[in-house]
Amino acid sequence: MQIKDPKYLGSWEKSLEMPHTTLPEFAFIGRSNVGKSSLINCVVERKELARTSSKPGKTQTLNLYNIDGWMQICDLPGYGYAKVSKTMRNKFSNMIRYYLKNRENLYALFILVDLRIPPQPMDIEFINDCGMEEIPLILVGTKSDKLKAPELESQVQAIKDALSEFWEELPPFIISSSETKLGRDEIWSVITQSIQPNQQ
Ligand SMILES: Nc1nc2c(ncn2[C@@H]2O[C@H](COP(=O)(O)OP(=O)(O)O)[C@@H](O)[C@H]2O)c(=O)[nH]1
Ligand SMILES: [Mg+2]
């Protein structure tokens, strides 16, 4: 995918106030520090479109990007960062829940999980909740460059095992790295396929 002109449209605290559009939108979410900003930058091939930060929990808004006029990316706040107060966490989850339930042009949600650590209950819970809500989702394992092949395989399996209690058929799983660009093409093919399922 050639990206010509990705644009940051702005940040919103309420999804209701986000600009309405019929352009297909794809959202990205994960725990703080999972590598979400890095992955979005990797996907759109820009170094600093989504700001990467070493300070977890900084992103507290819904950030919107228009990609070459044909689709949008929504960068959702990281869920469950421990150093944010409980009220803030609730506010985040309400904001996220509202967006996911009401954004009419949302095509699919990419849920990022860190491959370096064992499956986190918070991630599993969030993934299961989205499943209950029937939100089309794609799991993306991040930072795969940090693992050797056997470790990678067992981590992916551990995540799948943790989910299989709940899921009859698991959602698609993409292994990614913003360092090596692994998974980038697969993410684009999921996006284009979900916009035009009958093409190719
Ligand atoms: N090795 C490696 N580090 C990564 C990767 N993606 C992100 N990181 C690092 O993980 C930290 C958090 O990344 P960031 O994109 O800001 O995470 P966010 O909080 O989810 O937006 C930063 O120090 C990144 O450099 C990756 O694919 N490989
Ligand atoms: Mg970020």
Side-chain angles (χ1 to χ4, degrees):
M1 184 63 63
Q2 279 278 345
I3 310 299
K4 295 187 192 83
D5 190 21
K7 282 196 191 91
Y8 168 65
L9 295 179
S11 299
W12 287 266
E13 283 194 32
K14 291 183 179 150
S15 68
L16 262 178
E17 289 168 4
M18 292 166 81
H20 283 276
T21 171
T22 53
L23 287 180
E25 194 161 292
F26 294 83
F28 287 73
I29 199 166
R31 275 179 307 109
S32 299
N33 223 32
V34 70
K36 185 165 51 77
S37 301
S38 308
L39 187 70
I40 293 173
N41 286 334
C42 167
V43 164
V44 301
E45 292 190 317
R46 294 297 183 278
K47 278 210 173 84
E48 291 185 20
L49 192 69
R51 268 169 265 140
T52 41
S53 155
S54 52
K55 243 192 218 162
K58 217 176 156 189
T59 321
Q60 305 177 3
T61 48
L62 304 145
N63 308 313
L64 211 50
Y65 304 91
N66 179 293
I67 312 302
D68 294 356
W70 64 273
M71 61 88 72
Q72 298 200 152
I73 286 177
C74 182
D75 180 5
L76 294 168
Y79 52 78
Y81 176 52
K83 283 192 186 153
V84 181
S85 72
K86 194 150 181 249
T87 343
M88 280 297 266
R89 274 212 298 278
N90 287 340
K91 193 176 132 209
F92 282 12
S93 53
N94 285 340
M95 176 203 258
I96 294 165
R97 198 175 306 123
Y98 197 91
Y99 170 85
L100 294 175
K101 279 193 165 184
N102 298 290
R103 188 74 172 159
E104 280 168 7
N105 59 325
L106 176 68
Y107 272 53
L109 171 67
F110 291 91
I111 303 179
L112 279 53
V113 287
D114 194 331
L115 289 171
R116 300 171 310 169
I117 54 174
Q120 304 291 295
M122 197 182 284
D123 290 326
I124 302 301
E125 227 172 85
F126 184 79
I127 295 165
N128 292 347
D129 284 353
C130 289
M132 295 264 277
E133 298 290 343
E134 295 182 356
I135 295 159
L137 49 100
I138 301 102
L139 306 179
V140 183
T142 62
K143 309 186 187 181
S144 66
D145 58 283
K146 288 283 194 189
L147 291 91
K148 296 200 172 74
E151 279 178 296
L152 186 62
E153 204 177 309
S154 68
Q155 284 290 57
V156 172
Q157 197 52 52
I159 296 166
K160 289 184 174 171
D161 287 347
L163 288 169
S164 61
E165 282 179 29
F166 184 88
W167 293 75
E168 224 161 88
E169 194 187 330
L170 290 176
F173 196 109
I174 297 175
I175 295 171
S176 81
S177 162
S178 306
E179 295 284 318
T180 66
K181 315 259 183 277
L182 182 70
R184 183 181 180 270
D185 292 348
E186 234 181 307
I187 289 172
W188 277 116
S189 89
V190 165
I191 291 173
T192 51
Q193 282 290 313
S194 82
I195 295 175
Q196 296 187 305
N198 299 321
Q199 302 245 318
Q200 287 160 13

